[in-house]
Amino acid sequence: MAEPNKTSGSRKRKVRTPRQPKQKQGHLLVWITLIIIAIPCVIVGYVLLTSMEEQNQPVVGVRFDSGDLNPKIEQSQLDQIQQELSGIGGVEAVTENLKSATLRIHLNMADDAGRDTVEAALNQARDVVNSILPFDTYFTNTENGKNYDVEIDCYNWIVDDSHPADGQIYFKLTKTGAGSEVVDVITEAKDPDLVSEIVRE
């Protein structure tokens, strides 16, 4: 008698399990895309908002180290300079400010002040400033650091509708911490021959 085929009888039928539906990844991709787009948008928006808030303010950097501007100019010294400059003959108004480490002084003389009067007033103003704030101490750089600059402007008028350019007399003294004193006559050409050539052309 023939042996039954074991293999045929022992075969087990594979039971088919229902396929699991694949998870849709559409929502995940949408969220990832939105996040990728949102990051640069937030950064750009932040930059724009902070720029708009600070648009009326100057950009202030740090120009000076700890050893610079030593000794410091005090307000009491500026008040003393203002008072003494107001006593110079022919001076109608004195304005001064100390911004960006530059002391700027403007002497507005009487309209009828001549060249010699304006020049003399400038020299007096220079002596007043030097007596209160010595140039070698306050307006000259040292090995340890940088110091202030100074500008002194002296003029009979500022050009406007009622004050023509003809007849204006304007002297300017400048002293930087790294340089020497320079006096310029703003209303006079340094090279009259060059000016005449330009005007002729």
Side-chain angles (χ1 to χ4, degrees), residues 106-119 153-172 184-189:
H106 296 268
L107 301 179
N108 189 355
M109 307 290 292
D111 287 356
D112 60 355
R115 189 184 192 282
D116 293 340
T117 304
V118 175
E119 185 176 10
D153 297 85
C154 193
Y155 44 82
N156 56 351
W157 67 69
I158 294 295
V159 175
D160 56 21
D161 293 339
S162 58
H163 296 91
D166 285 344
Q168 184 196 32
I169 301 165
Y170 195 138
F171 279 77
K172 184 183 189 79
D184 289 312
V185 186
I186 305 298
T187 49
E188 293 179 7

Side-chain angles (χ1 to χ4, degrees), residues 103-152:
L103 176 60
R104 294 179 176 88
I105 297 170
H106 296 268
L107 301 179
N108 189 355
M109 307 290 292
D111 287 356
D112 60 355
R115 189 184 192 282
D116 293 340
T117 304
V118 175
E119 185 176 10
L122 178 76
N123 292 330
Q124 282 182 265
R126 188 258 181 223
D127 293 340
V128 166
V129 174
N130 189 47
S131 67
I132 298 169
L133 301 170
F135 279 25
D136 291 339
T137 304
Y138 287 88
F139 304 111
T140 303
N141 294 347
T142 66
E143 293 178 358
N144 299 324
K146 296 182 285 187
N147 273 325
Y148 297 90
D149 301 335
V150 61
E151 297 175 1
I152 304 175

Side-chain angles (χ1 to χ4, degrees), residues 26 50 66 81 100 122 128 137 154 156 181 193:
T50 53
S66 57
I81 290 172
S100 300
L122 178 76
V128 166
T137 304
C154 193
N156 56 351
E181 285 181 52
D193 295 335

Side-chain angles (χ1 to χ4, degrees), residues 4-200:
N5 192 348
K6 291 182 180 180
T7 56
S8 61
S10 63
R11 267 192 200 158
K12 293 183 180 178
R13 286 189 176 181
K14 288 185 179 177
V15 180
R16 285 191 175 183
T17 57
R19 287 186 180 179
Q20 295 285 339
K22 288 184 179 179
Q23 290 183 352
K24 293 184 178 178
Q25 295 182 354
H27 293 297
L28 182 63
L29 289 174
V30 169
W31 282 109
I32 291 173
T33 305
L34 286 175
I35 290 170
I36 291 172
I37 293 171
I39 290 172
C41 289
V42 168
I43 293 171
V44 170
Y46 174 77
V47 170
L48 289 174
L49 284 174
T50 53
S51 298
M52 287 174 62
E53 288 173 2
E54 298 174 1
Q55 67 181 352
N56 293 327
Q57 299 174 3
V59 177
V60 180
V62 179
R63 290 177 49 205
F64 302 103
D65 296 325
S66 57
D68 295 339
L69 307 181
N70 185 24
K72 184 182 177 190
I73 295 176
E74 303 293 341
Q75 185 59 47
S76 59
Q77 294 169 309
L78 297 178
D79 294 340
Q80 186 180 353
I81 290 172
Q82 174 93 23
Q83 185 177 359
E84 292 198 25
L85 292 180
S86 299
I88 295 175
V91 172
E92 291 187 342
V94 177
T95 59
E96 62 181 20
N97 67 65
L98 182 60
K99 294 180 179 177
S100 300
T102 300
L103 176 60
R104 294 179 176 88
I105 297 170
H106 296 268
L107 301 179
N108 189 355
M109 307 290 292
D111 287 356
D112 60 355
R115 189 184 192 282
D116 293 340
T117 304
V118 175
E119 185 176 10
L122 178 76
N123 292 330
Q124 282 182 265
R126 188 258 181 223
D127 293 340
V128 166
V129 174
N130 189 47
S131 67
I132 298 169
L133 301 170
F135 279 25
D136 291 339
T137 304
Y138 287 88
F139 304 111
T140 303
N141 294 347
T142 66
E143 293 178 358
N144 299 324
K146 296 182 285 187
N147 273 325
Y148 297 90
D149 301 335
V150 61
E151 297 175 1
I152 304 175
D153 297 85
C154 193
Y155 44 82
N156 56 351
W157 67 69
I158 294 295
V159 175
D160 56 21
D161 293 339
S162 58
H163 296 91
D166 285 344
Q168 184 196 32
I169 301 165
Y170 195 138
F171 279 77
K172 184 183 189 79
L173 180 147
T174 305
K175 167 77 174 76
T176 64
S180 55
E181 285 181 52
V182 176
V183 176
D184 289 312
V185 186
I186 305 298
T187 49
E188 293 179 7
K190 290 185 177 181
D191 190 345
D193 295 335
L194 177 61
V195 172
S196 62
E197 286 180 18
I198 294 172
V199 170
R200 277 201 304 271

